[in-house]
Amino acid sequence: MKLKRKVAVTAIALLAAGLLSSCSGGGSTAEKTTTSSFPAKWDKEITIDVFDGLANYMGIQKGWFAKIVKDKFNMKLNIIAPNVAGGGDTLYNTRVAAGNLGDLIITDKGQKLDELVQGGLVMDASSYYPAMTNVATFDKAVDNVNDGKDGIYGFPTQVSSIKPTESSEGLDPTFGPFLRWDLYKEAGYPKISTLEDLLPVLKQMQDLEPTAPNGKKVYALSLFKDWDGNMMNNAKQPTCFYGYDEMGFVLAKADGSDYQGILDPDGEYMRTLKFFYQANQMGLMDPESTTQNYDTLFSKYQNGQVLFSWWPWLGQSAYNTDANTKAGKGFEIAPLEDMNVFSYGAEAYGGKQVMAIGSKAKDPERIAAFIDWLYSAEGTYANNSQTMGAAGPQGLTWDVASDGKPALTDFGKQVFIDGKGDVPAEWGGGDYTDGASALNVSLVLPNDVDKATGLPFSYKFWPSYQKITSTPLSEDWSAHMDDATSTMDYLAKNNKITVAPGASYTAPADSSEIETLRNQVKAIIVQYSWQMSFAKNQSEFDSLQKELISKATGLGYDKVLKVDMDNAKAQNDARVAVAAAFK
């Protein structure tokens, strides 16, 4: 691949003039020479603008990660986060119109990257690729991201050496029925055959603890609207317990064995709406679900006001503190007998987002060196997402023990187990969490193996960590779950998980007609889904369901569904192909 790209640099130089004459940006590789190695240091400090579609922080990166970047690259990161700025795509569109999205760009591959390439807003990094020895480990993924392009414009995220048919999710799946195990234990570990059987169990649990320590009422279920899109986001989650994931208005099973329209009267989406309706009728649903946002909901989990979570990274993350788990309290996956949880396979060609260098970047060589470092072992430990078990810098939060295996330092235990810690001044100072990488993107999967230690980058996989984090909660859960050592271990042992091979499939952009129809239909679907969940009685629920299907059909639901169905089947074809290619 390197040789191919070197040749491409010359070819692109000839093409660039024509390309630039037809675009609003100004990316060019004509004047560049090939870089075979990066400088050992940079004398002049620079601050680069990072347009980051995933970041939840706006401003100059601070703390220990900022110090590492400053020490290695003499560079500061000014994070521009549309998630924080609000206004949907307004910030993106404004900067694109101005012809300068940022020096470093984190965006979606597929349509968005293609548009930026065609518009001349991202740079062809082919000339730097020979020096990018870390990212070159993932040549196939780089090739795939840039397939059909005349150079290297995008760098993949979430790459790994793990086979695409194996889960990418580590010790916990993305989805799953997690409940307050201590109350489930107090209820006598009742049998849960189906999703519907959860309701009487949750009722027992809520009756056992009707009030949280803060004096607020406890509810089994609590929802939020922030992430609604083609459907009511929360209503999709239980469908994932049965192997489905969304593709527009379609729910597609991980193994390609079934496809459902979300308005199918007997489908999984409607099943969830009935589940929500029944829960509300039983007094299990938080009445503030229709008005609260994710942050408010997270606080409720922290305060012990909610008993069920469809994600480990919500319930466990918020409530399973050291103090609670030592007291035997916390969220664990429930033994739902008929579940077959959807799991994302390792993306052979990377995740949905890419990194790119802006066509007007201040110092593209330095940014290329920074991107390459993010793929290194050092960069992976430092940059990976905190919620995915990023171990942080060696020597600060972890180190190699006398047995040659990685282990948390005392400070690492303070940060990752106790939940907070002040970073020593020589590492940049400040609160550890506040100083973590604000990029909010993992270039290499945390469960990929560090060849130097023989163990995954994520500290959660380390035997040393698992040994010190054994608690009365985990011991009781394991004793009742076939002595499983983790959620994934339990699901795998009991054939309760299906992995969708990681094919890095991206659906083509909607035509303008489909986009218009989709926007009309999804608004109706979301509106009626909430109304059905909180219907006064069965008669109103049935009437709303009938109205929903009628109105959505009248607005063009079937036409959009056909597009989504074709995409879902194309996605499965890609999954079959990648499974065969990496067998």
Side-chain angles (χ1 to χ4, degrees):
M1 166 133 173
K2 288 183 182 177
L3 180 60
K4 173 185 169 186
R5 294 302 182 193
K6 285 179 183 176
V7 173
V9 171
T10 304
I12 293 161
L14 300 174
L15 292 171
L19 175 65
L20 292 175
S21 66
S22 61
C23 69
S24 58
S28 170
T29 61
E31 71 282 6
K32 296 171 187 169
T33 57
T34 299
T35 300
S36 58
S37 63
F38 292 121
K41 65 174 185 176
W42 281 268
D43 293 329
K44 182 182 176 184
E45 180 184 284
I46 62 170
T47 298
I48 64 168
D49 288 337
V50 182
F51 185 90
D52 188 343
L54 294 176
N56 294 311
Y57 167 83
M58 183 96 110
I60 298 292
Q61 169 73 50
K62 54 189 178 182
W64 58 267
F65 187 73
K67 187 170 190 309
I68 292 175
V69 176
K70 174 72 167 63
D71 291 348
K72 295 189 74 67
F73 302 100
N74 202 12
M75 186 166 75
K76 292 183 177 178
L77 308 177
N78 179 38
I79 310 293
I80 300 168
N83 285 345
V84 178
D89 287 334
T90 302
L91 182 60
Y92 174 86
N93 292 333
T94 299
R95 295 184 70 89
V96 165
N100 187 2
L101 191 54
D103 301 299
L104 175 62
I105 298 164
I106 299 172
T107 189
D108 295 346
K109 66 181 179 184
Q111 183 185 3
K112 273 198 170 175
L113 177 62
D114 292 347
E115 288 174 352
L116 294 177
V117 172
Q118 291 163 9
L121 271 77
V122 295
M123 177 176 289
D124 175 14
S126 298
S127 60
Y128 306 115
Y129 200 71
M132 301 177 78
T133 55
N134 294 304
V135 68
T137 305
F138 306 101
D139 253 354
K140 286 185 179 178
V142 177
D143 257 341
N144 183 271
V145 165
N146 295 284
D147 186 37
K149 301 177 179 62
D150 294 323
I152 301 176
Y153 293 90
F155 294 95
T157 61
Q158 299 187 51
V159 291
S160 77
S161 56
I162 301 170
K163 285 187 176 182
T165 50
E166 296 176 17
S167 175
S168 64
E169 297 165 328
L171 298 177
D172 291 305
T174 301
F175 315 100
F178 289 79
L179 48 64
R180 273 280 299 279
W181 187 264
D182 49 306
L183 295 172
Y184 178 66
K185 173 185 177 182
E186 199 172 339
Y189 309 105
K191 179 181 178 180
I192 310 172
S193 298
T194 66
L195 178 70
E196 290 72 19
D197 287 347
L198 266 170
L199 292 175
V201 175
L202 292 172
K203 181 70 167 62
Q204 279 183 270
M205 293 166 56
Q206 187 172 302
D207 289 344
L208 286 167
E209 189 162 292
T211 307
N214 63 359
K216 303 285 186 180
K217 185 168 172 50
V218 169
Y219 288 97
L221 298 171
S222 191
L223 314 179
F224 67 104
K225 289 183 172 179
D226 307 25
W227 301 344
D228 288 350
N230 285 301
M231 63 192 82
M232 178 183 178
N233 175 277
N234 287 181
K236 186 204 90 169
Q237 307 311 319
T239 74
C240 303
F241 303 167
Y242 295 96
Y244 292 88
D245 195 18
E246 66 180 293
M247 174 62 75
F249 293 157
V250 171
L251 291 176
K253 216 158 189 183
D255 60 1
S257 62
D258 189 34
Y259 303 89
Q260 299 180 358
I262 56 174
L263 298 188
D264 289 1
D266 297 322
E268 290 294 323
Y269 184 76
M270 287 296 177
R271 180 185 181 188
T272 300
L273 295 184
K274 291 174 187 169
F275 175 79
F276 285 171
Y277 162 72
Q278 289 166 352
N280 188 47
Q281 293 295 307
M282 295 171 67
L284 302 177
M285 188 70 83
D286 183 351
E288 294 178 354
S289 295
T290 58
T291 56
Q292 68 189 354
N293 62 20
Y294 179 84
D295 291 340
T296 302
L297 176 62
F298 192 84
S299 297
K300 288 184 176 179
Y301 276 98
Q302 288 178 309
N303 295 331
Q305 295 172 241
V306 189
L307 304 182
F308 185 80
S309 168
W310 19 79
W311 305 303
W313 42 271
L314 176 56
Q316 288 187 334
S317 177
Y319 190 77
N320 287 20
T321 62
D322 189 39
N324 280 338
T325 55
K326 281 182 178 173
K329 296 181 178 180
F331 284 83
E332 297 285 2
I333 198 166
L336 186 57
E337 290 186 350
D338 67 344
M339 69 179 167
N340 194 316
V341 176
F342 181 100
S343 176
Y344 295 108
E347 297 284 0
Y349 305 124
K352 293 180 180 177
Q353 283 77 33
V354 292
M355 272 195 174
I357 302 173
S359 58
K360 295 181 180 177
K362 297 181 183 71
D363 188 342
E365 181 185 48
R366 199 181 317 193
I367 297 172
F370 174 61
I371 291 174
D372 187 55
W373 173 75
L374 292 173
Y375 289 91
S376 70
E378 181 187 32
T380 298
Y381 280 117
N383 174 66
N384 272 3
S385 169
Q386 296 296 295
T387 59
M388 299 178 76
Q394 183 175 2
L396 176 62
T397 44
W398 70 278
D399 220 328
V400 177
S402 56
D403 62 357
K405 300 299 181 185
L408 296 181
T409 61
D410 288 342
F411 181 70
K413 293 174 187 174
Q414 186 182 336
V415 168
F416 299 129
I417 298 175
D418 297 340
K420 58 182 179 179
D422 293 330
V423 176
E426 61 267 31
W427 285 91
D431 178 77
Y432 181 85
T433 303
D434 291 343
S437 172
L439 297 178
N440 198 27
V441 63
S442 296
L443 277 292
V444 178
L445 280 180
N447 52 339
D448 201 15
V449 172
D450 178 4
K451 293 178 181 174
T453 68
L455 290 173
F457 290 104
S458 169
Y459 66 82
K460 293 183 178 179
F461 286 85
W462 300 348
S464 58
Y465 171 77
Q466 293 174 357
K467 184 177 179 181
I468 61 175
T469 53
S470 177
T471 65
L473 172 67
S474 61
E475 289 169 2
D476 186 73
W477 176 83
S478 178
H480 289 82
M481 300 291 270
D482 302 329
D483 295 322
T485 57
S486 68
T487 306
M488 276 297 192
D489 185 40
Y490 168 77
L491 293 173
K493 278 180 179 175
N494 291 277
N495 296 317
K496 291 185 181 297
I497 191 163
T498 300
V499 177
S504 305
Y505 174 82
T506 303
D510 286 340
S511 67
S512 57
E513 180 196 11
I514 293 299
E515 183 179 11
T516 300
L517 294 176
R518 185 187 300 282
N519 287 335
Q520 293 172 349
V521 175
K522 72 181 186 183
I524 291 295
I525 291 174
V526 169
Q527 175 193 330
Y528 274 79
S529 295
W530 280 96
Q531 290 175 329
M532 289 167 66
S533 298
F534 288 86
K536 293 175 185 173
N537 50 47
Q538 186 64 50
S539 174
E540 184 178 73
F541 180 92
D542 294 340
S543 175
L544 287 167
Q545 182 181 23
K546 191 174 178 182
E547 279 183 40
L548 165 58
I549 294 172
S550 175
K551 285 192 174 183
T553 302
L555 290 170
Y557 168 76
D558 290 338
K559 200 165 188 175
V560 181
L561 182 66
K562 182 181 184 310
V563 172
D564 292 339
M565 195 66 78
D566 290 344
N567 290 338
K569 291 179 179 178
Q571 175 179 248
N572 190 63
D573 290 344
R575 286 171 174 170
V576 171
V578 79
F582 288 82
K583 188 177 288 183

